[in-house]
Amino acid sequence: MEALVRHIETTFEKRSQSFEPTWEGTMGMTQDLEDDLERASGVITHLSMVKDSPELRKAIETVQPMIVKISLQMGQSLELYDALVKMQQNERTWEALDKEQQRIVEKTIQGMKLSGVAFGLEGEGNAEKRKRFNEIQERKAQLSLKFSNNVQDATKAYAKIITDKTELEGCPESLIKSMAKHAQSRGHGNGDADSGPWAITLDAPTFVPFIMNCKNRDLREAVYRANIKKASDGDRDNEPIIKEILSLREEEAAMLGFSSFGALSLSKKMASNVDTAKEVLNRLYEATLPAAKQELNELTEFAKNQLNHPTPLRPWDTAFVGEEFRKDRFKYSADQISEYLVFPRVMNTLFDVAKDSFGIHVSEVDSAEQKRAGITTWNKDVKVYKVQDDGPDKTLLAYFYGDFYSRSEEKKSGAWMDVCVTRMKDPSTGKVRVPIAYMICNQPPPMSDSEPSRMKFQDVTTLFHEFGHCLQHMLTTVDYPQASGIKGVEWDFVEVASQFMENFAYEPQWLDRMARHYKTDEPMPQDMKKTVMQSRECLAGLAMMRQLHFATLDLELHTNYKPRNQDSTVTESIFDVDRRMAQKTCLVPPIPEDRFLCSFSHIFGGGYAAGYYSYKYSELYSADAYAALEEQDSIESRQRVGRKYRDTVLAYGGATDPKQVWREFRGRDGVQVDALLRHSGLQSATA
């Protein structure tokens, strides 16, 4: 990696002397270097997420500053910037570019401005500003990495050992088995689910079903408190890291002429400014609040009258009471439903959806073919798939890796898609390199060789979600790697493709196909299918409010909050901000010791800083896009809409303005809120 970075650095310096205001003389001279850097650094980042080890962490700490340095060198090149601006200003040269090239140039110029290219100009203090700006970028990268490692280490470190099985009353048998294995892996017992002991851990496949099902309120409280306070003390305390990150972001924004980091972040998104993002969130809040209040009242009455449960409800109660409420209303628990959701069948159904809707064929690459192609994986459970057009020629379109099972000892929690290889057309030969994606989930692994992984329905929608991201990367028709696939797509539009796919999981025809009992192969009972289809409407108001809390808190921290320092008169801490925002959005008040921010990886360890609102912003478009399918009255017309979606949203990547993409697909400007609220069972509103 060090040798590659040095090669890129020296090659870029040499080419900088001959940049010209043409496509070939600018983007054509940097494309291969950017691609080499992205591919190499992408592999390292990927492995850090799925194959964590002390050795890999040390390697990343060594190469990360080099990657930041060369990225800044390229982003701050005055020679490249000058050539790009001249090309844009020359009408004849500019008009000779296609629309995709023009957008790439515009986005590159914007990106270079935000990378501090102006600090390279001659002028008083600019050298010092450039030095400080670059120090900020390197330090931010270090802190983000440290934040993520702390969360992962804190998650791995916690295990509450239970020796009396009666304490786990209510927990489904699949969870009991899993917790016995967790205990065994930590040196307690032999993994026997009947005799124990059992270990409650904070990784999502264990924590979520535990907090939803365990009847022992005191035990739920203890585990909840551990989870909400993780990475907030000792050597893994993320509070000082958060403070420094916020301070550095504020300083960076000021150096670039923005009033806040929120303003900087939104300047490169579809919403374009903080006020627009806040307006969308506020409209959803106003539409959701009455329903959320009613839901909490219903839960409270149910807890009191049906469960003889103490009220008012506390944060460690809502998931449990909510699950009991669902079971009472719909008869079935999440664990009972999971008996009909076996991973291989769900995956095959997902591929059937893709074939029917988008005209593609997905198949697994077997070990022999992998060996012939020189394809290797990082774990025995990782699978490799190829994507082909479903036409007569079966044209190869893409590949993707699938890493689906939780491995809390080495793999970060959550689910994500990432880029392995970007589609690119060789300008000299015309040959197109097909894209490759990483698709990562964290569902429970198989309990044994003879018993496949059983999925909660939430695992199913997560699988569909991440595959949607993969589709946008894999089905792109853009030949320029700077804007191919998900590259260059505005952050608040990039979730559209993923959220769009979730809707298929609720459709009766696909649910019929995917849902069969893991032992008997019997189809899912009709009333259970009805439960699944109605599940996203159940307590949807409270779920929406939770996401609105995260989004508004993120914007507040990055727009109005001023980080405290030794010389500051600010008395409000980051946790005070969280509590203040919670007064509006959290109907069940958080506990005073709540330290959720210390594990809010999206905004402090990932790319969602002043961008978490993107989930809800994108969901408006994804729901409205799916409504285009719902409006059709025949299989043929649905397929036509599906192909149109493939040919626009999935094809155009970052090379077309998302407003134009939307106009071409939906046939109109603007988005309607009604579809999202209808899908959630909330009252109608208009945007």
Side-chain angles (χ1 to χ4, degrees):
M1 186 68 195
E2 294 179 43
L4 174 64
V5 171
R6 284 196 297 270
H7 165 72
I8 293 173
E9 185 176 8
T10 55
T11 305
F12 184 80
E13 286 179 357
K14 183 177 180 181
R15 293 181 185 177
S16 294
Q17 308 307 312
S18 53
F19 285 136
E20 296 178 350
T22 64
W23 176 265
E24 294 75 17
T26 52
M27 309 310 296
M29 294 178 68
T30 60
Q31 179 172 291
D32 60 330
L33 301 180
E34 292 171 348
D35 184 66
D36 287 345
L37 182 63
E38 179 189 76
R39 291 181 65 183
S41 61
V43 169
I44 294 173
T45 301
H46 167 70
L47 289 175
S48 74
M49 302 284 280
V50 299
K51 196 78 175 171
D52 182 47
S53 69
E55 295 78 15
L56 186 58
R57 286 190 184 186
K58 187 175 181 180
I60 291 172
E61 289 171 2
T62 300
V63 302
Q64 187 188 62
M66 302 178 192
I67 295 171
V68 173
K69 181 182 177 183
I70 185 59
S71 298
L72 286 168
Q73 179 186 345
M74 297 169 74
Q76 295 175 347
S77 168
L78 285 173
E79 295 86 357
L80 177 59
Y81 181 78
D82 183 59
L84 289 170
V85 171
K86 286 180 178 177
M87 175 168 47
Q88 188 182 39
Q89 293 174 343
N90 186 307
E91 184 176 351
R92 187 173 64 178
T93 305
W94 185 248
E95 292 302 322
L97 302 182
D98 62 42
K99 295 299 182 184
E100 293 181 343
Q101 291 174 322
Q102 288 180 355
R103 178 167 156 89
I104 290 169
V105 171
E106 289 169 346
K107 283 291 182 180
T108 303
I109 290 173
Q110 180 192 43
M112 295 184 77
K113 288 179 179 178
L114 298 181
S115 293
V117 67
F119 300 137
L121 296 170
E122 292 185 7
E124 185 176 350
N126 270 358
E128 291 78 10
K129 288 178 182 178
R130 184 176 187 175
K131 180 174 180 292
R132 176 56 186 159
F133 185 87
N134 291 354
E135 289 172 350
I136 289 173
Q137 305 314 308
E138 184 173 335
R139 182 60 178 160
K140 283 200 309 174
Q142 292 171 348
L143 292 170
S144 178
L145 180 63
K146 178 64 174 171
F147 183 97
S148 297
N149 287 340
N150 283 348
V151 173
Q152 185 171 10
D153 291 345
T155 302
K156 287 193 297 185
Y158 180 86
K160 189 166 186 63
I161 305 299
I162 305 298
T163 56
D164 182 356
K165 193 175 183 180
T166 61
E167 291 192 56
L168 300 174
E169 183 184 358
C171 292
E173 191 59 30
S174 59
L175 179 59
I176 296 288
K177 290 180 181 179
S178 178
M179 290 192 293
K181 287 190 173 185
H182 286 326
Q184 181 184 24
S185 69
R186 287 163 170 78
H188 301 274
N190 60 3
D192 187 274
D194 294 322
S195 60
W198 306 266
I200 306 169
T201 57
L202 299 183
D203 56 293
T206 300
F207 174 77
V208 172
F210 166 80
I211 209 73
M212 287 173 61
N213 291 282
C214 184
K215 294 185 177 181
N216 186 332
R217 193 186 191 211
D218 290 340
L219 185 57
R220 286 203 316 268
E221 178 181 353
V223 177
Y224 173 86
R225 286 180 178 274
N227 187 61
I228 208 67
K229 295 185 342 186
K230 67 175 177 270
S232 67
D233 59 9
D235 294 339
R236 304 187 189 102
D237 187 1
N238 272 340
E239 181 182 0
I241 293 176
I242 293 172
K243 289 171 161 179
E244 188 175 354
I245 288 175
L246 289 173
S247 181
L248 291 172
R249 287 173 178 169
E250 182 183 40
E251 184 180 356
E252 172 190 9
M255 293 183 72
L256 293 173
F258 290 92
S259 59
S260 67
F261 184 81
L264 188 164
S265 175
L266 269 292
S267 71
K268 50 188 174 181
K269 294 180 170 62
M270 189 177 179
S272 75
N273 59 72
V274 174
D275 287 344
T276 299
K278 286 184 175 180
E279 182 183 359
V280 168
L281 296 176
N282 192 56
R283 288 188 180 190
L284 290 175
Y285 173 82
E286 295 294 339
T288 303
L289 183 60
K293 285 182 175 179
Q294 181 179 339
E295 289 168 3
L296 182 57
N297 288 337
E298 290 177 359
L299 283 185
T300 301
E301 290 302 308
F302 176 80
K304 189 189 307 180
N305 299 328
Q306 301 297 319
L307 304 179
N308 196 27
H309 189 286
T311 56
L313 299 180
R314 303 299 304 277
W316 48 87
D317 298 327
T318 50
F320 170 74
V321 175
E323 178 64 6
E324 293 298 308
F325 180 79
R326 288 185 187 92
K327 284 189 283 188
D328 181 75
R329 174 172 287 187
F330 299 122
K331 279 178 51 179
Y332 298 106
S333 68
D335 197 65
Q336 287 174 306
I337 292 171
S338 76
E339 294 180 1
Y340 290 84
L341 298 172
V342 181
F343 172 68
R345 180 178 287 276
V346 172
M347 199 69 177
N348 288 335
T349 303
L350 175 59
F351 297 158
D352 288 343
V353 170
K355 181 177 181 179
D356 182 80
S357 302
F358 313 125
I360 60 173
H361 177 75
V362 185
S363 58
E364 186 176 346
V365 179
D366 61 32
S367 56
E369 188 176 350
Q370 286 184 41
K371 189 174 182 180
R372 287 195 301 271
I375 298 173
T376 59
T377 63
W378 54 92
N379 184 277
K380 63 180 179 61
D381 291 327
V382 173
K383 298 181 181 295
V384 182
Y385 301 88
K386 62 182 175 183
V387 180
Q388 298 166 282
D389 189 85
D390 199 39
D393 295 335
K394 290 289 188 291
T395 305
L396 178 65
L397 301 173
Y399 291 96
F400 71 96
Y401 291 94
D403 187 349
F404 303 108
Y405 304 136
S406 173
R407 299 186 303 277
S408 58
E409 73 282 356
E410 65 175 11
K411 185 179 177 184
K412 285 184 168 57
S413 62
W416 62 93
M417 168 267 164
D418 211 344
V419 173
C420 178
V421 175
T422 302
R423 175 186 166 109
M424 178 170 68
K425 185 175 184 179
D426 188 317
S428 59
T429 65
K431 185 177 180 181
V432 174
R433 182 183 69 187
V434 299
I436 305 174
Y438 299 119
M439 180 177 170
I440 314 298
C441 297
N442 262 293
Q443 67 197 50
M447 297 304 296
S448 66
D449 291 339
S450 60
E451 188 175 321
S453 173
R454 288 159 45 191
M455 305 175 72
K456 301 291 192 295
F457 191 69
Q458 184 178 359
D459 297 327
V460 174
T461 56
T462 297
L463 185 75
F464 276 59
H465 178 105
E466 299 307 332
F467 189 63
H469 280 309
C470 289
L471 287 175
Q472 188 167 33
H473 180 64
M474 299 186 300
L475 300 187
T476 185
T477 56
V478 178
D479 292 328
Y480 307 111
Q482 300 91 341
S484 180
I486 65 168
K487 296 277 293 296
V489 179
E490 277 75 356
W491 205 253
D492 46 5
F493 195 73
V494 79
E495 293 292 337
V496 172
S498 55
Q499 292 167 337
F500 178 86
M501 284 301 298
E502 292 182 38
N503 293 284
F504 288 100
Y506 295 92
E507 286 202 357
Q509 63 167 321
W510 303 119
L511 197 52
D512 283 343
R513 196 173 300 190
M514 80 169 81
R516 287 186 172 271
H517 197 274
Y518 77 106
K519 286 184 178 178
T520 67
D521 202 40
E522 289 291 315
M524 180 180 280
Q526 288 298 323
D527 55 347
M528 184 182 284
K529 278 188 282 193
K530 185 178 179 182
T531 294
V532 171
M533 289 187 288
Q534 293 178 340
S535 61
R536 63 174 165 182
E537 297 182 9
C538 185
L539 306 179
L542 289 172
M544 176 81 80
M545 293 295 281
R546 183 172 184 267
Q547 289 299 305
L548 292 176
H549 175 67
F550 296 156
T552 54
L553 173 60
D554 170 36
L555 286 179
E556 180 70 11
L557 287 172
H558 288 106
T559 304
N560 298 320
Y561 176 67
K562 300 299 180 185
R564 290 196 297 188
N565 56 54
Q566 291 180 344
D567 303 322
S568 175
T569 59
V570 176
T571 59
E572 193 178 40
S573 72
I574 54 173
F575 308 119
D576 292 332
V577 177
D578 192 357
R579 281 188 287 273
R580 171 164 58 81
M581 302 302 291
Q583 291 175 3
K584 179 178 178 181
T585 51
C586 297
L587 302 187
V588 176
I591 60 175
E593 303 89 345
D594 188 308
R595 294 295 182 269
F596 158 74
L597 281 170
C598 289
S599 58
F600 197 178
S601 296
H602 276 80
I603 69 171
F604 296 118
Y608 283 85
Y612 197 90
Y613 80 92
S614 299
Y615 281 108
K616 285 303 165 191
Y617 194 88
S618 289
E619 197 172 2
L620 292 175
Y621 285 91
S622 66
D624 197 0
Y626 198 76
L629 283 177
E630 295 174 319
E631 292 161 6
Q632 307 309 308
D633 56 7
S634 70
I635 294 175
E636 292 76 17
S637 61
R638 279 178 63 94
Q639 288 178 336
R640 283 196 297 272
V641 172
R643 299 303 191 276
K644 186 177 181 182
Y645 177 82
R646 171 183 169 178
D647 293 339
T648 53
V649 177
L650 299 181
Y652 288 167
T656 303
D657 187 294
K659 293 177 182 177
Q660 176 64 28
V661 175
W662 182 252
R663 192 178 301 118
E664 286 195 33
F665 170 66
R666 206 63 174 99
R668 56 172 161 78
D669 293 324
V671 63
Q672 296 179 355
V673 182
D674 276 12
L676 173 57
L677 297 175
R678 174 168 50 80
H679 290 166
S680 303
L682 302 171
Q683 72 181 65
S684 178
T686 56

